Amino acid sequence: MDRDEPETDTPVDDDDDRVALGLALLERLEHESLPLPEVIDRIETVTTDPTVTRTILDEAELRGIIDREDGIIRPKSRQYVRFEQDIITKEGEFTCQRCGMGLSTGYFINLDAGELGPYGSSCIRKVTGRED
């Protein structure tokens, strides 16, 4: 899956891999509430296409994963990413999906919809909500 996809205004199927990964990520948000820009920052680890981002947010609201009001997102699930169980570490040559930094150790989030990453050690904490 190419996450550096071009921006499009064409409709996105809710069974698109990026949508599935984005929804799975939103199901695991570890906050009572987050401002919309912080949620979009996390979604951008899946896609930078604004149409797909809107689809992820709309689907998440329709499916009852989040509530949206006045630019604040409130996750309804309390299924958090567990580092000892849901994070996979791999050695190799990677580029962080969030910041673009070169990595020799990549951290991946193992979600039901697939694997998300790689991330560096600080970005994995930001994406999972362990660090602001």
Side-chain angles (χ1 to χ4, degrees):
M1 170 179 16
D2 181 14
R3 293 197 182 106
D4 293 322
E5 66 279 345
E7 294 181 9
T8 63
D9 284 328
T10 57
V12 179
D13 290 331
D14 61 353
D15 63 349
D16 183 306
D17 286 348
R18 297 170 297 172
V19 173
L21 277 171
L23 292 172
L25 184 61
L26 291 180
E27 285 178 325
R28 298 298 197 76
L29 289 177
E30 196 165 322
H31 295 282
E32 288 288 320
S33 64
L34 283 169
L36 182 59
E38 287 186 34
V39 173
I40 290 173
D41 181 58
R42 299 215 174 116
I43 292 172
E44 285 179 342
T45 64
V46 175
T47 181
T48 56
D49 183 329
T51 303
V52 178
T53 299
R54 278 191 302 276
T55 301
I56 291 167
L57 289 167
D58 291 345
E59 278 298 311
E61 190 171 24
L62 282 171
R63 295 181 188 195
I65 295 169
I66 61 168
D67 281 327
R68 283 195 288 189
E69 187 177 337
D70 299 326
I72 301 296
I73 304 297
R74 290 183 178 77
K76 291 185 171 184
S77 171
R78 294 293 170 239
Q79 302 176 43
Y80 306 129
V81 171
R82 296 171 306 246
F83 271 75
E84 56 284 340
Q85 193 171 352
D86 299 324
I87 303 295
I88 299 164
T89 305
K90 297 180 185 178
E91 300 298 321
E93 291 186 29
F94 303 105
T95 302
C96 179
Q97 197 66 41
R98 184 173 181 274
C99 73
M101 188 91 150
L103 309 168
S104 58
T105 301
Y107 297 89
F108 297 80
I109 304 171
N110 188 21
L111 300 168
D112 290 340
E115 204 172 79
L116 193 55
Y119 303 105
S121 59
S122 62
C123 285
I124 190 70
R125 290 191 300 275
K126 290 180 189 279
V127 169
T128 58
R130 302 289 168 91
E131 185 178 292
D132 293 326

